[in-house]
Amino acid sequence: MAKIMIVEDEAVIRQLIGEELTKWRFDVFATTEFSEVFADFEREAPQLVLLDINLPVFDGYYWCQKIREVSKVPIIFISSRNTNMDQIMAMNMGADDYITKPFEVDVLVAKINALLRRSYNYAEGGETMTHNGITLNLDNSSMEISDEVIDLSKNEYRLLYILMKQHGKILSREKLLRALWDDERFVDDNTLTVNINRLRRKIEQAGIQDYIQTKVGQGYIVP
């Protein structure tokens, strides 16, 4: 039974989400001391975090950064803030997904289940994968370039895995969205762009240029 940590200061919404997730047989912990979010996270060790942006003391972006300093646990932002900039900011801070209030609980549960499947059952096909100077470690979601080990977020790891596994083939944005988030209807297209750009930046900073190439109107390719 996966433990879900809820960080939401609106009591009604917090209770609703908690009750629904309990019905789905999740183990639920809800933070109520919003100055102690990180301490609660370390003590409870959840498998996934639901995180609001507008919180007392520090906002959700702050807590997301704190969690990312020590953990790759999946994080879904739940927020009434619905601008593209908010979603891009969330992804840049290390979030795995974003859902806007008001939302259908069934959609939230579907996102949670999909993210848990991807996060904890995706290391397949051996221990490493190597192509054109990059070694992808399938057991710990990191890549190695010239003996430098670089940590990847779960979405960055998934993207690199898919692109390397099918190197030489152009993969459409739609195919990558489906592979990453199961149902791309619930994902803003900017989310893919943000993750592609972050992954490219990490690869380029390690010394490899143009590893992931854009084919205008077609998608992306690792030659």
Side-chain angles (χ1 to χ4, degrees), residues 11-24:
V12 174
I13 296 176
R14 184 171 67 240
Q15 182 176 352
L16 173 64
I17 294 173
E19 289 175 351
E20 289 297 320
L21 293 183
T22 299
K23 290 178 185 176
W24 283 86

Side-chain angles (χ1 to χ4, degrees), residues 117-172:
R117 285 197 304 271
R118 293 197 304 270
S119 300
Y120 298 106
N121 295 306
Y122 201 71
E124 57 188 19
E127 295 182 354
T128 63
M129 181 187 300
T130 301
H131 175 70
N132 281 356
I134 294 181
T135 296
L136 184 63
N137 297 311
L138 305 183
D139 292 333
N140 62 11
S141 301
S142 69
M143 66 178 173
E144 294 182 33
I145 299 175
S146 301
D147 296 325
E148 179 183 0
V149 178
I150 302 156
D151 287 333
L152 301 173
S153 72
K154 289 180 174 60
N155 284 340
E156 291 164 358
Y157 164 73
R158 290 271 293 182
L159 276 173
L160 189 55
Y161 177 93
I162 295 163
L163 287 164
M164 288 178 67
K165 189 174 183 180
Q166 301 194 51
H167 65 86
K169 298 180 182 178
I170 298 173
L171 302 181
S172 69

Side-chain angles (χ1 to χ4, degrees), residues 170 173 196-197 200 210 212-221:
I170 298 173
R173 293 180 66 86
I196 285 282
N197 288 341
R200 276 176 166 159
D210 298 321
I212 301 172
Q213 299 179 8
T214 300
K215 298 297 182 181
V216 178
Q218 299 178 72
Y220 300 97
I221 184 172

Side-chain angles (χ1 to χ4, degrees), residues 195-212:
N195 280 277
I196 285 282
N197 288 341
R198 286 194 316 193
L199 180 56
R200 276 176 166 159
R201 206 156 43 236
K202 288 183 178 181
I203 293 172
E204 289 171 359
Q205 288 172 351
I208 298 179
Q209 304 298 314
D210 298 321
Y211 189 82
I212 301 172

Side-chain angles (χ1 to χ4, degrees), residues 32-85:
T32 55
E33 294 293 335
F34 295 99
S35 62
E36 301 295 327
V37 171
F38 187 68
D40 286 348
F41 171 80
E42 289 193 306
R43 185 185 66 252
E44 296 294 328
Q47 277 74 57
L48 184 143
V49 178
L50 299 177
L51 183 59
D52 194 7
I53 295 177
N54 296 324
L55 295 169
V57 190
F58 297 107
D59 65 18
Y61 297 136
Y62 172 84
W63 294 119
C64 184
Q65 278 190 304
K66 289 288 288 182
I67 291 170
R68 279 290 170 262
E69 289 175 3
V70 300
S71 174
K72 294 181 181 180
V73 66
I75 297 174
I76 300 177
F77 270 100
I78 48 174
S79 178
S80 57
R81 293 161 64 165
N82 58 4
T83 68
N84 287 341
M85 185 53 65

